[in-house]
Amino acid sequence: MDQFITAFLKGASEKNFQQLAMEFLPQYSALISKSGGMLSPETLSAIHYALQEGRLSDVMNQIQEAISAAENAVLEVAVIGESGTGKSSFINALRGLGHEEAESADVGTVETTMYKTPYQHPKYPNVIFWDLPGTGTPNFHTDTYLDRVGFANYDFFIIISSSRFSVNDALLAQKIKDAGKKFYFVRTKVDSDLYSEERTRPRTFRKEQVLQRIRDYCLSNLTDIGVSEPRIFLISNFDLDAFDFPKLEETLLKELPGHKRHMFALLLPNISDASIELKKHFLQEKICLEALKSGAMSFIPFMPFISGFDLPQQEQCLKDYRSYFGLDDKSIEEIAERLETPLEDIKGQLKCLDFWSFVKDDSIIARARSAGEAFCSVKGGLGSSVVQALKVYYMRTQFLNVVVEDAKHLLRKMETVNIA
Ligand SMILES: Nc1nc2c(ncn2[C@@H]2O[C@H](COP(=O)(O)OP(=O)(O)OP(=O)(O)O)[C@@H](O)[C@H]2O)c(=O)[nH]1
């Protein structure tokens, strides 16, 4: 992402807004090539034209609106399935909760899902998972089901089964498609299938073959009952990283609109280095946009004093990053408990907890830098834009890198507990 900021600074220092605008689109596309990005095509072209014409306050407003839309996006996910298929476990996994936690969806072996039940994400109140009754319930009617559950509110539908999908599942999928919504089939409990197969046929057991057989079975089962090219994801709620859950995440991220994609990326559990890196990509995009916004804003004299990236904002930024990666105080306490390690020991291993170590610098160079920054801020113009863009970019990047490093470190530790 360094190319993005370099291109911005080069264009800015040459006072060439045309050049800056020309660089912006390819640099932004490269930046979001892995994550998909949070800007809609309309916002992207509005920023491009505003940059081209040197309308910096419009650039700032467009970016601010896009960031607010992403931060306040509402996401409602419908999860449909029979009792016992693992719906609640799936919802809990997406909410980052374990089976025993108080706020978990009710997980058990008796039927607990009779009506549609909302489960809010504990950290993101705008994200709601709806536990909806399966298509096998006696009063299921394909023609009325979607209206009864209020289909228009949901961003997408997950149809869950732990064995085979039914004709009613297929009919419902068709209705969801006709209503212009997306649906995905999730086959849970593949860990149990593998376990049983290995126990019964230890000599001929091949994990990939068993998984392929389950996949083929679900596929033919669904195509036989009329779903064309169904997308099926095999998962274990007990081991999210092991099967198709990462592919499901990737598919959902690709297919959600930009502003919702960002919210969904942040809530995904840290199940592997790859999932941590994916989340990091989303935040890197946001950092570049924040830096661009700050640069545009700082063109105006005194603006950095009024709404710059100062200590309280920096502290909040680090706190937010910690929360996105499950390193907030409450999560660290829970991790220490699970690792059966004293909390202070765990805290001692994490670099992201000491905010002051990042910002405390009494050296002469640091003092000269802040005097220069203040001088530029009073004058405004390109000097101030460049200084503020760099400050936002490098400080946020530093916070993000340290938090990511700590998240990976704790993931390693947790893996040792899961293996044991
Ligand atoms: N082996 C295995 N067991 C699972 C998996 N997902 C859920 N279970 C178990 O299956 C049982 C039912 O899971 P729930 O998540 O309660 O299923 P549900 O569909 O929400 O069922 P209701 O709560 O009755 O609506 C529980 O004992 C879970 O621990 C999985 O992926 N693998």
Side-chain angles (χ1 to χ4, degrees), residues 82-89 106-113 131 188-189 191-192 235-238:
E82 303 310 327
S83 173
T85 51
K87 254 184 315 173
S88 314
S89 306
D106 194 357
V107 178
T109 46
V110 289
E111 184 163 353
T112 52
T113 312
D131 184 336
T188 53
K189 303 193 186 180
D191 56 313
S192 289
I235 71 158
S236 160
N237 285 316
F238 297 159

mmCIF file with all atom_site columns, all heavy atoms in Angstrom, residues 82-89 106-113 131 188-189 191-192 235-238, ligand 1:
data_model
loop_
_atom_site.group_PDB
_atom_site.id
_atom_site.type_symbol
_atom_site.label_atom_id
_atom_site.label_alt_id
_atom_site.label_comp_id
_atom_site.label_asym_id
_atom_site.label_entity_id
_atom_site.label_seq_id
_atom_site.pdbx_PDB_ins_code
_atom_site.Cartn_x
_atom_site.Cartn_y
_atom_site.Cartn_z
_atom_site.occupancy
_atom_site.B_iso_or_equiv
_atom_site.pdbx_formal_charge
_atom_site.auth_seq_id
_atom_site.auth_comp_id
_atom_site.auth_asym_id
_atom_site.auth_atom_id
_atom_site.pdbx_PDB_model_num
ATOM   1   N N   . GLU A 1 82  ? -33.063 -27.063 9.792  1.00 0.00 ? 82  GLU A N   1
ATOM   2   C CA  . GLU A 1 82  ? -33.817 -27.858 10.774 1.00 0.00 ? 82  GLU A CA  1
ATOM   3   C C   . GLU A 1 82  ? -33.118 -27.807 12.127 1.00 0.00 ? 82  GLU A C   1
ATOM   4   O O   . GLU A 1 82  ? -31.916 -27.555 12.212 1.00 0.00 ? 82  GLU A O   1
ATOM   5   C CB  . GLU A 1 82  ? -33.881 -29.329 10.330 1.00 0.00 ? 82  GLU A CB  1
ATOM   6   C CG  . GLU A 1 82  ? -34.479 -29.579 8.970  1.00 0.00 ? 82  GLU A CG  1
ATOM   7   C CD  . GLU A 1 82  ? -35.809 -28.881 8.763  1.00 0.00 ? 82  GLU A CD  1
ATOM   8   O OE1 . GLU A 1 82  ? -36.566 -28.740 9.743  1.00 0.00 ? 82  GLU A OE1 1
ATOM   9   O OE2 . GLU A 1 82  ? -36.078 -28.452 7.642  1.00 0.00 ? 82  GLU A OE2 1
ATOM   10  N N   . SER A 1 83  ? -33.889 -28.140 13.133 1.00 0.00 ? 83  SER A N   1
ATOM   11  C CA  . SER A 1 83  ? -33.333 -28.221 14.474 1.00 0.00 ? 83  SER A CA  1
ATOM   12  C C   . SER A 1 83  ? -32.256 -29.318 14.523 1.00 0.00 ? 83  SER A C   1
ATOM   13  O O   . SER A 1 83  ? -32.430 -30.387 13.939 1.00 0.00 ? 83  SER A O   1
ATOM   14  C CB  . SER A 1 83  ? -34.472 -28.561 15.422 1.00 0.00 ? 83  SER A CB  1
ATOM   15  O OG  . SER A 1 83  ? -33.945 -28.803 16.673 1.00 0.00 ? 83  SER A OG  1
ATOM   16  N N   . GLY A 1 84  ? -31.137 -28.990 15.170 1.00 0.00 ? 84  GLY A N   1
ATOM   17  C CA  . GLY A 1 84  ? -30.077 -29.988 15.341 1.00 0.00 ? 84  GLY A CA  1
ATOM   18  C C   . GLY A 1 84  ? -29.034 -29.986 14.240 1.00 0.00 ? 84  GLY A C   1
ATOM   19  O O   . GLY A 1 84  ? -28.054 -30.725 14.319 1.00 0.00 ? 84  GLY A O   1
ATOM   20  N N   . THR A 1 85  ? -29.223 -29.152 13.198 1.00 0.00 ? 85  THR A N   1
ATOM   21  C CA  . THR A 1 85  ? -28.265 -29.161 12.090 1.00 0.00 ? 85  THR A CA  1
ATOM   22  C C   . THR A 1 85  ? -27.001 -28.356 12.404 1.00 0.00 ? 85  THR A C   1
ATOM   23  O O   . THR A 1 85  ? -26.027 -28.414 11.662 1.00 0.00 ? 85  THR A O   1
ATOM   24  C CB  . THR A 1 85  ? -28.889 -28.571 10.801 1.00 0.00 ? 85  THR A CB  1
ATOM   25  O OG1 . THR A 1 85  ? -29.471 -27.307 11.137 1.00 0.00 ? 85  THR A OG1 1
ATOM   26  C CG2 . THR A 1 85  ? -29.947 -29.474 10.210 1.00 0.00 ? 85  THR A CG2 1
ATOM   27  N N   . GLY A 1 86  ? -27.043 -27.577 13.476 1.00 0.00 ? 86  GLY A N   1
ATOM   28  C CA  . GLY A 1 86  ? -25.857 -26.795 13.846 1.00 0.00 ? 86  GLY A CA  1
ATOM   29  C C   . GLY A 1 86  ? -26.008 -25.306 13.535 1.00 0.00 ? 86  GLY A C   1
ATOM   30  O O   . GLY A 1 86  ? -25.013 -24.587 13.464 1.00 0.00 ? 86  GLY A O   1
ATOM   31  N N   . LYS A 1 87  ? -27.255 -24.859 13.398 1.00 0.00 ? 87  LYS A N   1
ATOM   32  C CA  . LYS A 1 87  ? -27.514 -23.444 13.100 1.00 0.00 ? 87  LYS A CA  1
ATOM   33  C C   . LYS A 1 87  ? -26.970 -22.532 14.198 1.00 0.00 ? 87  LYS A C   1
ATOM   34  O O   . LYS A 1 87  ? -26.271 -21.565 13.940 1.00 0.00 ? 87  LYS A O   1
ATOM   35  C CB  . LYS A 1 87  ? -29.042 -23.215 13.045 1.00 0.00 ? 87  LYS A CB  1
ATOM   36  C CG  . LYS A 1 87  ? -29.580 -23.034 11.686 1.00 0.00 ? 87  LYS A CG  1
ATOM   37  C CD  . LYS A 1 87  ? -31.061 -22.709 11.722 1.00 0.00 ? 87  LYS A CD  1
ATOM   38  C CE  . LYS A 1 87  ? -31.865 -23.582 12.658 1.00 0.00 ? 87  LYS A CE  1
ATOM   39  N NZ  . LYS A 1 87  ? -33.252 -23.138 12.805 1.00 0.00 ? 87  LYS A NZ  1
ATOM   40  N N   . SER A 1 88  ? -27.356 -22.854 15.450 1.00 0.00 ? 88  SER A N   1
ATOM   41  C CA  . SER A 1 88  ? -26.939 -21.989 16.559 1.00 0.00 ? 88  SER A CA  1
ATOM   42  C C   . SER A 1 88  ? -25.417 -21.981 16.678 1.00 0.00 ? 88  SER A C   1
ATOM   43  O O   . SER A 1 88  ? -24.819 -20.932 16.932 1.00 0.00 ? 88  SER A O   1
ATOM   44  C CB  . SER A 1 88  ? -27.539 -22.474 17.879 1.00 0.00 ? 88  SER A CB  1
ATOM   45  O OG  . SER A 1 88  ? -28.887 -22.766 17.711 1.00 0.00 ? 88  SER A OG  1
ATOM   46  N N   . SER A 1 89  ? -24.800 -23.138 16.481 1.00 0.00 ? 89  SER A N   1
ATOM   47  C CA  . SER A 1 89  ? -23.334 -23.202 16.570 1.00 0.00 ? 89  SER A CA  1
ATOM   48  C C   . SER A 1 89  ? -22.704 -22.331 15.479 1.00 0.00 ? 89  SER A C   1
ATOM   49  O O   . SER A 1 89  ? -21.719 -21.636 15.717 1.00 0.00 ? 89  SER A O   1
ATOM   50  C CB  . SER A 1 89  ? -22.844 -24.644 16.394 1.00 0.00 ? 89  SER A CB  1
ATOM   51  O OG  . SER A 1 89  ? -23.487 -25.489 17.309 1.00 0.00 ? 89  SER A OG  1
ATOM   52  N N   . ASP A 1 106 ? -28.864 -20.289 21.760 1.00 0.00 ? 106 ASP A N   1
ATOM   53  C CA  . ASP A 1 106 ? -29.073 -21.472 22.573 1.00 0.00 ? 106 ASP A CA  1
ATOM   54  C C   . ASP A 1 106 ? -28.609 -22.713 21.803 1.00 0.00 ? 106 ASP A C   1
ATOM   55  O O   . ASP A 1 106 ? -29.158 -23.054 20.767 1.00 0.00 ? 106 ASP A O   1
ATOM   56  C CB  . ASP A 1 106 ? -30.572 -21.569 22.889 1.00 0.00 ? 106 ASP A CB  1
ATOM   57  C CG  . ASP A 1 106 ? -30.837 -22.559 23.994 1.00 0.00 ? 106 ASP A CG  1
ATOM   58  O OD1 . ASP A 1 106 ? -29.878 -23.190 24.459 1.00 0.00 ? 106 ASP A OD1 1
ATOM   59  O OD2 . ASP A 1 106 ? -32.004 -22.685 24.380 1.00 0.00 ? 106 ASP A OD2 1
ATOM   60  N N   . VAL A 1 107 ? -27.551 -23.345 22.279 1.00 0.00 ? 107 VAL A N   1
ATOM   61  C CA  . VAL A 1 107 ? -27.005 -24.505 21.575 1.00 0.00 ? 107 VAL A CA  1
ATOM   62  C C   . VAL A 1 107 ? -27.307 -25.760 22.386 1.00 0.00 ? 107 VAL A C   1
ATOM   63  O O   . VAL A 1 107 ? -26.989 -25.834 23.549 1.00 0.00 ? 107 VAL A O   1
ATOM   64  C CB  . VAL A 1 107 ? -25.470 -24.374 21.417 1.00 0.00 ? 107 VAL A CB  1
ATOM   65  C CG1 . VAL A 1 107 ? -24.885 -25.588 20.736 1.00 0.00 ? 107 VAL A CG1 1
ATOM   66  C CG2 . VAL A 1 107 ? -25.137 -23.128 20.626 1.00 0.00 ? 107 VAL A CG2 1
ATOM   67  N N   . GLY A 1 108 ? -27.949 -26.744 21.803 1.00 0.00 ? 108 GLY A N   1
ATOM   68  C CA  . GLY A 1 108 ? -28.237 -27.948 22.572 1.00 0.00 ? 108 GLY A CA  1
ATOM   69  C C   . GLY A 1 108 ? -28.808 -29.034 21.697 1.00 0.00 ? 108 GLY A C   1
ATOM   70  O O   . GLY A 1 108 ? -28.911 -28.869 20.490 1.00 0.00 ? 108 GLY A O   1
ATOM   71  N N   . THR A 1 109 ? -29.169 -30.137 22.294 1.00 0.00 ? 109 THR A N   1
ATOM   72  C CA  . THR A 1 109 ? -29.656 -31.244 21.502 1.00 0.00 ? 109 THR A CA  1
ATOM   73  C C   . THR A 1 109 ? -31.183 -31.284 21.434 1.00 0.00 ? 109 THR A C   1
ATOM   74  O O   . THR A 1 109 ? -31.748 -32.096 20.727 1.00 0.00 ? 109 THR A O   1
ATOM   75  C CB  . THR A 1 109 ? -29.142 -32.585 22.059 1.00 0.00 ? 109 THR A CB  1
ATOM   76  O OG1 . THR A 1 109 ? -29.317 -32.570 23.473 1.00 0.00 ? 109 THR A OG1 1
ATOM   77  C CG2 . THR A 1 109 ? -27.678 -32.786 21.755 1.00 0.00 ? 109 THR A CG2 1
ATOM   78  N N   . VAL A 1 110 ? -31.870 -30.441 22.198 1.00 0.00 ? 110 VAL A N   1
ATOM   79  C CA  . VAL A 1 110 ? -33.334 -30.385 22.079 1.00 0.00 ? 110 VAL A CA  1
ATOM   80  C C   . VAL A 1 110 ? -33.722 -29.270 21.121 1.00 0.00 ? 110 VAL A C   1
ATOM   81  O O   . VAL A 1 110 ? -32.953 -28.345 20.893 1.00 0.00 ? 110 VAL A O   1
ATOM   82  C CB  . VAL A 1 110 ? -34.020 -30.137 23.444 1.00 0.00 ? 110 VAL A CB  1
ATOM   83  C CG1 . VAL A 1 110 ? -33.921 -31.320 24.338 1.00 0.00 ? 110 VAL A CG1 1
ATOM   84  C CG2 . VAL A 1 110 ? -33.445 -28.905 24.114 1.00 0.00 ? 110 VAL A CG2 1
ATOM   85  N N   . GLU A 1 111 ? -34.926 -29.376 20.570 1.00 0.00 ? 111 GLU A N   1
ATOM   86  C CA  . GLU A 1 111 ? -35.338 -28.378 19.587 1.00 0.00 ? 111 GLU A CA  1
ATOM   87  C C   . GLU A 1 111 ? -35.597 -27.032 20.259 1.00 0.00 ? 111 GLU A C   1
ATOM   88  O O   . GLU A 1 111 ? -36.436 -26.911 21.132 1.00 0.00 ? 111 GLU A O   1
ATOM   89  C CB  . GLU A 1 111 ? -36.612 -28.836 18.868 1.00 0.00 ? 111 GLU A CB  1
ATOM   90  C CG  . GLU A 1 111 ? -37.000 -27.869 17.783 1.00 0.00 ? 111 GLU A CG  1
ATOM   91  C CD  . GLU A 1 111 ? -37.977 -28.477 16.797 1.00 0.00 ? 111 GLU A CD  1
ATOM   92  O OE1 . GLU A 1 111 ? -38.244 -29.689 16.885 1.00 0.00 ? 111 GLU A OE1 1
ATOM   93  O OE2 . GLU A 1 111 ? -38.468 -27.730 15.960 1.00 0.00 ? 111 GLU A OE2 1
ATOM   94  N N   . THR A 1 112 ? -34.801 -26.017 19.869 1.00 0.00 ? 112 THR A N   1
ATOM   95  C CA  . THR A 1 112 ? -34.984 -24.716 20.511 1.00 0.00 ? 112 THR A CA  1
ATOM   96  C C   . THR A 1 112 ? -35.411 -23.636 19.515 1.00 0.00 ? 112 THR A C   1
ATOM   97  O O   . THR A 1 112 ? -35.748 -22.550 19.896 1.00 0.00 ? 112 THR A O   1
ATOM   98  C CB  . THR A 1 112 ? -33.686 -24.263 21.190 1.00 0.00 ? 112 THR A CB  1
ATOM   99  O OG1 . THR A 1 112 ? -32.650 -24.348 20.226 1.00 0.00 ? 112 THR A OG1 1
ATOM   100 C CG2 . THR A 1 112 ? -33.332 -25.107 22.392 1.00 0.00 ? 112 THR A CG2 1
ATOM   101 N N   . THR A 1 113 ? -35.356 -23.947 18.217 1.00 0.00 ? 113 THR A N   1
ATOM   102 C CA  . THR A 1 113 ? -35.682 -22.926 17.226 1.00 0.00 ? 113 THR A CA  1
ATOM   103 C C   . THR A 1 113 ? -37.083 -23.155 16.662 1.00 0.00 ? 113 THR A C   1
ATOM   104 O O   . THR A 1 113 ? -37.253 -23.950 15.760 1.00 0.00 ? 113 THR A O   1
ATOM   105 C CB  . THR A 1 113 ? -34.656 -22.950 16.076 1.00 0.00 ? 113 THR A CB  1
ATOM   106 O OG1 . THR A 1 113 ? -33.372 -22.963 16.654 1.00 0.00 ? 113 THR A OG1 1
ATOM   107 C CG2 . THR A 1 113 ? -34.795 -21.742 15.188 1.00 0.00 ? 113 THR A CG2 1
ATOM   108 N N   . ASP A 1 131 ? -32.033 -16.601 13.243 1.00 0.00 ? 131 ASP A N   1
ATOM   109 C CA  . ASP A 1 131 ? -32.190 -18.056 13.262 1.00 0.00 ? 131 ASP A CA  1
ATOM   110 C C   . ASP A 1 131 ? -33.629 -18.330 12.797 1.00 0.00 ? 131 ASP A C   1
ATOM   111 O O   . ASP A 1 131 ? -34.586 -18.003 13.496 1.00 0.00 ? 131 ASP A O   1
ATOM   112 C CB  . ASP A 1 131 ? -31.963 -18.515 14.709 1.00 0.00 ? 131 ASP A CB  1
ATOM   113 C CG  . ASP A 1 131 ? -31.989 -20.018 14.861 1.00 0.00 ? 131 ASP A CG  1
ATOM   114 O OD1 . ASP A 1 131 ? -32.609 -20.686 14.019 1.00 0.00 ? 131 ASP A OD1 1
ATOM   115 O OD2 . ASP A 1 131 ? -31.402 -20.520 15.834 1.00 0.00 ? 131 ASP A OD2 1
ATOM   116 N N   . THR A 1 188 ? -23.066 -28.851 7.375  1.00 0.00 ? 188 THR A N   1
ATOM   117 C CA  . THR A 1 188 ? -22.296 -28.851 8.631  1.00 0.00 ? 188 THR A CA  1
ATOM   118 C C   . THR A 1 188 ? -21.850 -30.274 9.029  1.00 0.00 ? 188 THR A C   1
ATOM   119 O O   . THR A 1 188 ? -22.207 -31.257 8.374  1.00 0.00 ? 188 THR A O   1
ATOM   120 C CB  . THR A 1 188 ? -23.157 -28.303 9.787  1.00 0.00 ? 188 THR A CB  1
ATOM   121 O OG1 . THR A 1 188 ? -24.361 -29.045 9.810  1.00 0.00 ? 188 THR A OG1 1
ATOM   122 C CG2 . THR A 1 188 ? -23.433 -26.829 9.635  1.00 0.00 ? 188 THR A CG2 1
ATOM   123 N N   . LYS A 1 189 ? -21.116 -30.343 10.103 1.00 0.00 ? 189 LYS A N   1
ATOM   124 C CA  . LYS A 1 189 ? -20.716 -31.591 10.776 1.00 0.00 ? 189 LYS A CA  1
ATOM   125 C C   . LYS A 1 189 ? -19.866 -32.526 9.914  1.00 0.00 ? 189 LYS A C   1
ATOM   126 O O   . LYS A 1 189 ? -19.911 -33.740 10.098 1.00 0.00 ? 189 LYS A O   1
ATOM   127 C CB  . LYS A 1 189 ? -21.952 -32.344 11.302 1.00 0.00 ? 189 LYS A CB  1
ATOM   128 C CG  . LYS A 1 189 ? -22.805 -31.490 12.257 1.00 0.00 ? 189 LYS A CG  1
ATOM   129 C CD  . LYS A 1 189 ? -23.822 -32.315 12.996 1.00 0.00 ? 189 LYS A CD  1
ATOM   130 C CE  . LYS A 1 189 ? -24.742 -31.429 13.814 1.00 0.00 ? 189 LYS A CE  1
ATOM   131 N NZ  . LYS A 1 189 ? -25.749 -32.115 14.556 1.00 0.00 ? 189 LYS A NZ  1
ATOM   132 N N   . ASP A 1 191 ? -16.827 -32.916 10.111 1.00 0.00 ? 191 ASP A N   1
ATOM   133 C CA  . ASP A 1 191 ? -15.850 -33.557 11.018 1.00 0.00 ? 191 ASP A CA  1
ATOM   134 C C   . ASP A 1 191 ? -16.386 -34.899 11.520 1.00 0.00 ? 191 ASP A C   1
ATOM   135 O O   . ASP A 1 191 ? -15.657 -35.897 11.587 1.00 0.00 ? 191 ASP A O   1
ATOM   136 C CB  . ASP A 1 191 ? -15.515 -32.631 12.194 1.00 0.00 ? 191 ASP A CB  1
ATOM   137 C CG  . ASP A 1 191 ? -16.728 -32.197 12.974 1.00 0.00 ? 191 ASP A CG  1
ATOM   138 O OD1 . ASP A 1 191 ? -17.725 -31.779 12.358 1.00 0.00 ? 191 ASP A OD1 1
ATOM   139 O OD2 . ASP A 1 191 ? -16.732 -32.277 14.193 1.00 0.00 ? 191 ASP A OD2 1
ATOM   140 N N   . SER A 1 192 ? -17.705 -34.955 11.832 1.00 0.00 ? 192 SER A N   1
ATOM   141 C CA  . SER A 1 192 ? -18.313 -36.213 12.300 1.00 0.00 ? 192 SER A CA  1
ATOM   142 C C   . SER A 1 192 ? -18.291 -37.265 11.201 1.00 0.00 ? 192 SER A C   1
ATOM   143 O O   . SER A 1 192 ? -18.001 -38.434 11.451 1.00 0.00 ? 192 SER A O   1
ATOM   144 C CB  . SER A 1 192 ? -19.783 -36.024 12.657 1.00 0.00 ? 192 SER A CB  1
ATOM   145 O OG  . SER A 1 192 ? -19.891 -35.295 13.799 1.00 0.00 ? 192 SER A OG  1
ATOM   146 N N   . ILE A 1 235 ? -18.588 -27.562 6.120  1.00 0.00 ? 235 ILE A N   1
ATOM   147 C CA  . ILE A 1 235 ? -17.888 -26.959 7.266  1.00 0.00 ? 235 ILE A CA  1
ATOM   148 C C   . ILE A 1 235 ? -18.006 -27.806 8.539  1.00 0.00 ? 235 ILE A C   1
ATOM   149 O O   . ILE A 1 235 ? -18.873 -28.690 8.634  1.00 0.00 ? 235 ILE A O   1
ATOM   150 C CB  . ILE A 1 235 ? -18.408 -25.532 7.587  1.00 0.00 ? 235 ILE A CB  1
ATOM   151 C CG1 . ILE A 1 235 ? -19.824 -25.561 8.187  1.00 0.00 ? 235 ILE A CG1 1
ATOM   152 C CG2 . ILE A 1 235 ? -18.393 -24.608 6.397  1.00 0.00 ? 235 ILE A CG2 1
ATOM   153 C CD1 . ILE A 1 235 ? -20.125 -24.306 8.979  1.00 0.00 ? 235 ILE A CD1 1
ATOM   154 N N   . SER A 1 236 ? -17.132 -27.496 9.476  1.00 0.00 ? 236 SER A N   1
ATOM   155 C CA  . SER A 1 236 ? -17.298 -28.000 10.840 1.00 0.00 ? 236 SER A CA  1
ATOM   156 C C   . SER A 1 236 ? -17.349 -26.782 11.737 1.00 0.00 ? 236 SER A C   1
ATOM   157 O O   . SER A 1 236 ? -16.433 -25.948 11.689 1.00 0.00 ? 236 SER A O   1
ATOM   158 C CB  . SER A 1 236 ? -16.120 -28.885 11.240 1.00 0.00 ? 236 SER A CB  1
ATOM   159 O OG  . SER A 1 236 ? -16.082 -28.971 12.655 1.00 0.00 ? 236 SER A OG  1
ATOM   160 N N   . ASN A 1 237 ? -18.402 -26.690 12.515 1.00 0.00 ? 237 ASN A N   1
ATOM   161 C CA  . ASN A 1 237 ? -18.491 -25.542 13.437 1.00 0.00 ? 237 ASN A CA  1
ATOM   162 C C   . ASN A 1 237 ? -17.434 -25.611 14.526 1.00 0.00 ? 237 ASN A C   1
ATOM   163 O O   . ASN A 1 237 ? -17.184 -24.627 15.213 1.00 0.00 ? 237 ASN A O   1
ATOM   164 C CB  . ASN A 1 237 ? -19.880 -25.491 14.082 1.00 0.00 ? 237 ASN A CB  1
ATOM   165 C CG  . ASN A 1 237 ? -20.916 -24.996 13.106 1.00 0.00 ? 237 ASN A CG  1
ATOM   166 O OD1 . ASN A 1 237 ? -20.682 -24.034 12.394 1.00 0.00 ? 237 ASN A OD1 1
ATOM   167 N ND2 . ASN A 1 237 ? -22.060 -25.667 13.056 1.00 0.00 ? 237 ASN A ND2 1
ATOM   168 N N   . PHE A 1 238 ? -16.835 -26.796 14.690 1.00 0.00 ? 238 PHE A N   1
ATOM   169 C CA  . PHE A 1 238 ? -15.816 -26.947 15.732 1.00 0.00 ? 238 PHE A CA  1
ATOM   170 C C   . PHE A 1 238 ? -14.414 -26.625 15.218 1.00 0.00 ? 238 PHE A C   1
ATOM   171 O O   . PHE A 1 238 ? -13.484 -26.497 15.996 1.00 0.00 ? 238 PHE A O   1
ATOM   172 C CB  . PHE A 1 238 ? -15.807 -28.389 16.279 1.00 0.00 ? 238 PHE A CB  1
ATOM   173 C CG  . PHE A 1 238 ? -17.101 -28.774 16.952 1.00 0.00 ? 238 PHE A CG  1
ATOM   174 C CD1 . PHE A 1 238 ? -17.440 -30.115 17.113 1.00 0.00 ? 238 PHE A CD1 1
ATOM   175 C CD2 . PHE A 1 238 ? -17.974 -27.813 17.425 1.00 0.00 ? 238 PHE A CD2 1
ATOM   176 C CE1 . PHE A 1 238 ? -18.633 -30.475 17.739 1.00 0.00 ? 238 PHE A CE1 1
ATOM   177 C CE2 . PHE A 1 238 ? -19.168 -28.153 18.040 1.00 0.00 ? 238 PHE A CE2 1
ATOM   178 C CZ  . PHE A 1 238 ? -19.505 -29.491 18.199 1.00 0.00 ? 238 PHE A CZ  1
HETATM 179 N N1  . LIG B 2 .   ? -19.533 -32.713 15.157 1.00 0.00 ? 1   LIG B N1  1
HETATM 180 C C1  . LIG B 2 .   ? -20.186 -31.580 15.003 1.00 0.00 ? 1   LIG B C1  1
HETATM 181 N N2  . LIG B 2 .   ? -21.221 -31.288 15.821 1.00 0.00 ? 1   LIG B N2  1
HETATM 182 C C2  . LIG B 2 .   ? -21.861 -30.114 15.661 1.00 0.00 ? 1   LIG B C2  1
HETATM 183 C C3  . LIG B 2 .   ? -21.513 -29.212 14.646 1.00 0.00 ? 1   LIG B C3  1
HETATM 184 N N3  . LIG B 2 .   ? -22.340 -28.158 14.721 1.00 0.00 ? 1   LIG B N3  1
HETATM 185 C C4  . LIG B 2 .   ? -23.158 -28.385 15.759 1.00 0.00 ? 1   LIG B C4  1
HETATM 186 N N4  . LIG B 2 .   ? -22.885 -29.567 16.342 1.00 0.00 ? 1   LIG B N4  1
HETATM 187 C C5  . LIG B 2 .   ? -23.563 -30.200 17.478 1.00 0.00 ? 1   LIG B C5  1
HETATM 188 O O1  . LIG B 2 .   ? -24.893 -30.511 17.052 1.00 0.00 ? 1   LIG B O1  1
HETATM 189 C C6  . LIG B 2 .   ? -25.816 -30.290 18.106 1.00 0.00 ? 1   LIG B C6  1
HETATM 190 C C7  . LIG B 2 .   ? -26.888 -29.300 17.648 1.00 0.00 ? 1   LIG B C7  1
HETATM 191 O O2  . LIG B 2 .   ? -26.288 -28.069 17.383 1.00 0.00 ? 1   LIG B O2  1
HETATM 192 P P1  . LIG B 2 .   ? -27.099 -26.678 17.445 1.00 0.00 ? 1   LIG B P1  1
HETATM 193 O O3  . LIG B 2 .   ? -26.122 -25.624 17.013 1.00 0.00 ? 1   LIG B O3  1
HETATM 194 O O4  . LIG B 2 .   ? -27.842 -26.525 18.677 1.00 0.00 ? 1   LIG B O4  1
HETATM 195 O O5  . LIG B 2 .   ? -28.159 -26.918 16.273 1.00 0.00 ? 1   LIG B O5  1
HETATM 196 P P2  . LIG B 2 .   ? -29.449 -26.067 15.888 1.00 0.00 ? 1   LIG B P2  1
HETATM 197 O O6  . LIG B 2 .   ? -29.651 -26.327 14.465 1.00 0.00 ? 1   LIG B O6  1
HETATM 198 O O7  . LIG B 2 .   ? -29.309 -24.652 16.296 1.00 0.00 ? 1   LIG B O7  1
HETATM 199 O O8  . LIG B 2 .   ? -30.568 -26.771 16.727 1.00 0.00 ? 1   LIG B O8  1
HETATM 200 P P3  . LIG B 2 .   ? -31.642 -26.125 17.677 1.00 0.00 ? 1   LIG B P3  1
HETATM 201 O O9  . LIG B 2 .   ? -30.822 -25.420 18.745 1.00 0.00 ? 1   LIG B O9  1
HETATM 202 O O10 . LIG B 2 .   ? -32.421 -27.260 18.172 1.00 0.00 ? 1   LIG B O10 1
HETATM 203 O O11 . LIG B 2 .   ? -32.410 -25.209 16.815 1.00 0.00 ? 1   LIG B O11 1
HETATM 204 C C8  . LIG B 2 .   ? -25.017 -29.785 19.307 1.00 0.00 ? 1   LIG B C8  1
HETATM 205 O O12 . LIG B 2 .   ? -24.714 -30.871 20.121 1.00 0.00 ? 1   LIG B O12 1
HETATM 206 C C9  . LIG B 2 .   ? -23.750 -29.244 18.665 1.00 0.00 ? 1   LIG B C9  1
HETATM 207 O O13 . LIG B 2 .   ? -22.642 -29.301 19.519 1.00 0.00 ? 1   LIG B O13 1
HETATM 208 C C10 . LIG B 2 .   ? -20.414 -29.544 13.758 1.00 0.00 ? 1   LIG B C10 1
HETATM 209 O O14 . LIG B 2 .   ? -20.050 -28.849 12.810 1.00 0.00 ? 1   LIG B O14 1
HETATM 210 N N5  . LIG B 2 .   ? -19.802 -30.734 13.995 1.00 0.00 ? 1   LIG B N5  1
#
